[in-house]
């Protein structure tokens, strides 16, 4: 049976630690391998991307494989063919699917009807590759992840869901501050807490940020939510990560953002461009972590 990576919880805790260490080793030693030599991985993207596409294409090549990029505009993905049929066809052509799409159920259909590995490059529910890279970014500075407090300020979106799952796997405390009506999915929270995650939810960004070693946020209106922009701007008033909020964190607290950022909305430019911002390390670490995840999937 092929391995799949649909959420962080797909990797057992002990193996996730090894993936983390391997990503760090790959970064430090500029590792290139021929693990994927002779293999073709399809990047199936229904949502546009810069970092995800480039980091995966480069990563597949650095592991010796051949990436092929597909969008809904130039394939049957955006037309009438049932997804289950697409899954069965693509399984005959390629050795893996890296998928950036809308509903998580699409990935589950690809897994059910295909017989090659499926990697979640983003859905509306989860963004596990991003959070694994974020964990690597934190680990580089504070290796004892279980002693960390991480704050999430803003929407209880796919990023928040994957940070919640990351708390299960890596043991950090997670404090989430969301406006009313924008909480994470209770089922995601309940499952994680049941597995030992340390997660709290508040309406007060100051409460969440107080004592936090890493303070995270995301755009207020994600891809596909543009029509809600004005409504969300009103709802998220008071949830801006500014210098005052950063000052509530632990000494030398770091600012994180998955990008792209809207300076002047969810974060001030002074924080985004400031000395405690580590957003560019996060972006770079997508490449190294994704290579380590692919190695976990394909290495026997």
């Amino acid at each position: 049976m092929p391995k799949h990576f649909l959420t962080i919880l797909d990797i057992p805790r002990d193996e996730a630690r090894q993936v983390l260490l391997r990503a760090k080793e790959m970064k430090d030693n500029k590792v290139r391998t021929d693990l994927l030599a002779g293999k073709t991985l399809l990047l199936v993207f229904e949502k546009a991307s810069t970092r995800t596409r480039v980091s995966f294409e480069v990563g597949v090549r650095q592991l010796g494989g051949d990436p092929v990029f597909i969008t809904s505009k130039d394939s049957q993905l955006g037309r009438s063919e049932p997804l289950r049929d697409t899954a069965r066809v693509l399984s005959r052509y390629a050795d893996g699917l890296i998928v950036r799409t809308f509903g998580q159920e699409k990935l589950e259909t690809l897994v059910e009807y295909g017989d090659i590995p499926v990697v979640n490059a983003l859905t509306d529910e989860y963004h596990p590759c991003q959070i694994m890279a974020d964990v690597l970014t934190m680990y580089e500075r504070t290796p004892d992840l279980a002693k960390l407090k991480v704050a999430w300020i803003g929407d209880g979106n796919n990023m928040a869901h994957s940070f919640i799952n990351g708390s299960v796997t890596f043991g950090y405390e997670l404090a989430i501050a969301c406006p009313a009506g924008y909480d994470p999915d209770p089922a995601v929270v309940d499952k994680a807490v049941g597995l030992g995650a340390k997660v709290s939810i508040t309406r007060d960004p100051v409460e969440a940020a107080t004592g936090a070693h890493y303070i995270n946020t995301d755009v207020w209106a994600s891809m596909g939510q543009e029509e809600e922009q004005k409504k969300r701007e009103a709802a998220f008033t008071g949830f801006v990560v500014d210098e005052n909020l950063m000052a509530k964190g632990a000494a030398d607290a770091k600012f994180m953002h998955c990008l792209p950022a809207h300076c002047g909305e969810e974060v001030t430019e002074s924080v985004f461009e400031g000395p405690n911002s580590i957003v560019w390390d996060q972006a770079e670490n997508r490449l190294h972590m994704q290579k380590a995840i692919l190695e976990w999937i394909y290495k026997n």
Side-chain angles (χ1 to χ4, degrees), residues 20-31:
L20 176 64
L21 296 177
R22 179 57 172 161
K24 175 63 172 164
E25 180 183 24
M26 285 179 151
K27 179 178 182 178
D28 291 345
N29 297 299
K30 299 181 179 179
V31 170

Side-chain angles (χ1 to χ4, degrees), residues 31-144:
V31 170
R32 309 289 189 272
T33 76
D34 60 359
L35 175 69
L36 299 180
K39 289 183 170 59
T40 300
L41 273 64
L42 304 181
L43 279 68
V44 182
F45 278 41
E46 291 189 287
K47 287 188 173 185
S49 169
T50 300
R51 281 155 294 278
T52 301
R53 176 181 177 177
V54 174
S55 59
F56 264 117
E57 285 202 19
V58 172
V60 169
R61 288 193 173 96
Q62 289 186 0
L63 296 179
D66 294 308
V68 174
F69 184 71
I70 304 173
T71 72
S72 56
K73 294 180 180 179
D74 50 25
S75 72
Q76 291 292 341
L77 290 168
R79 302 191 184 101
S80 59
E81 183 175 57
L83 188 60
R84 64 180 183 269
D85 294 352
T86 299
R88 288 180 281 202
V89 169
L90 295 182
S91 291
R92 302 292 182 100
Y93 296 154
D95 302 285
L97 300 175
I98 298 167
V99 185
R100 184 176 173 93
T101 187
F102 295 90
Q104 188 81 4
E105 73 279 357
K106 290 191 173 187
L107 299 185
E108 294 165 358
T109 298
L110 291 169
V111 168
E112 181 180 358
Y113 288 94
D115 56 10
I116 55 177
V118 177
V119 176
N120 182 355
L122 175 140
T123 64
D124 292 342
E125 288 81 14
Y126 298 100
H127 199 358
C129 291
Q130 176 69 58
I131 300 306
M132 289 290 287
D134 292 351
V135 170
L136 172 60
T137 308
M138 296 187 293
Y139 172 81
E140 290 178 308
R141 291 161 176 81
T142 46
D144 194 347

Side-chain angles (χ1 to χ4, degrees), residues 1-290:
M1 294 292 291
K3 287 182 180 178
H4 306 287
F5 184 63
L6 305 191
T7 79
I8 290 173
L9 299 181
D10 287 337
I11 305 181
R13 291 184 196 184
D14 57 335
E15 295 180 33
R17 176 75 177 185
Q18 294 307 309
V19 171
L20 176 64
L21 296 177
R22 179 57 172 161
K24 175 63 172 164
E25 180 183 24
M26 285 179 151
K27 179 178 182 178
D28 291 345
N29 297 299
K30 299 181 179 179
V31 170
R32 309 289 189 272
T33 76
D34 60 359
L35 175 69
L36 299 180
K39 289 183 170 59
T40 300
L41 273 64
L42 304 181
L43 279 68
V44 182
F45 278 41
E46 291 189 287
K47 287 188 173 185
S49 169
T50 300
R51 281 155 294 278
T52 301
R53 176 181 177 177
V54 174
S55 59
F56 264 117
E57 285 202 19
V58 172
V60 169
R61 288 193 173 96
Q62 289 186 0
L63 296 179
D66 294 308
V68 174
F69 184 71
I70 304 173
T71 72
S72 56
K73 294 180 180 179
D74 50 25
S75 72
Q76 291 292 341
L77 290 168
R79 302 191 184 101
S80 59
E81 183 175 57
L83 188 60
R84 64 180 183 269
D85 294 352
T86 299
R88 288 180 281 202
V89 169
L90 295 182
S91 291
R92 302 292 182 100
Y93 296 154
D95 302 285
L97 300 175
I98 298 167
V99 185
R100 184 176 173 93
T101 187
F102 295 90
Q104 188 81 4
E105 73 279 357
K106 290 191 173 187
L107 299 185
E108 294 165 358
T109 298
L110 291 169
V111 168
E112 181 180 358
Y113 288 94
D115 56 10
I116 55 177
V118 177
V119 176
N120 182 355
L122 175 140
T123 64
D124 292 342
E125 288 81 14
Y126 298 100
H127 199 358
C129 291
Q130 176 69 58
I131 300 306
M132 289 290 287
D134 292 351
V135 170
L136 172 60
T137 308
M138 296 187 293
Y139 172 81
E140 290 178 308
R141 291 161 176 81
T142 46
D144 194 347
L145 296 168
K147 291 185 178 179
L148 296 181
K149 179 181 179 181
V150 178
W152 175 259
I153 311 297
D155 194 8
N157 59 11
N158 53 1
M159 287 285 294
H161 290 164
S162 286
F163 262 119
I164 290 166
N165 285 345
S167 178
V168 174
T169 300
F170 296 105
Y172 53 76
E173 175 188 353
L174 179 65
I176 299 173
C178 299
Y182 295 91
D183 285 347
D185 184 340
V188 175
V189 177
D190 291 347
K191 179 178 179 179
V193 171
L195 292 171
K198 296 173 285 187
V199 179
S200 61
I201 299 174
T202 179
R203 302 280 173 246
D204 183 359
V206 171
E207 179 182 345
T210 297
H213 303 89
Y214 296 92
I215 299 176
N216 296 262
T217 192
D218 193 5
V219 294
W220 290 341
S222 298
M223 195 177 300
Q225 299 171 333
E226 291 81 3
E227 73 282 357
E228 301 178 27
Q229 180 68 32
K230 295 300 181 183
K231 175 184 175 183
R232 284 173 170 264
E233 285 178 6
F236 285 87
T237 299
F239 285 77
V240 179
V241 179
D242 56 18
E243 291 182 344
N244 290 331
L245 191 64
M246 290 296 298
K248 301 296 183 182
D252 203 32
K254 303 300 183 186
F255 171 73
M256 303 178 72
H257 195 301
C258 61
L259 303 179
H262 295 164
C263 289
E265 291 185 16
E266 74 274 6
V267 60
T268 61
E269 186 165 358
S270 61
V271 169
F272 185 78
E273 298 289 356
N276 286 352
S277 174
I278 55 174
V279 299
W280 310 118
D281 289 340
Q282 282 179 267
E284 176 188 346
N285 283 342
R286 290 292 301 279
L287 169 64
H288 311 299
M289 178 52 74
Q290 286 159 189

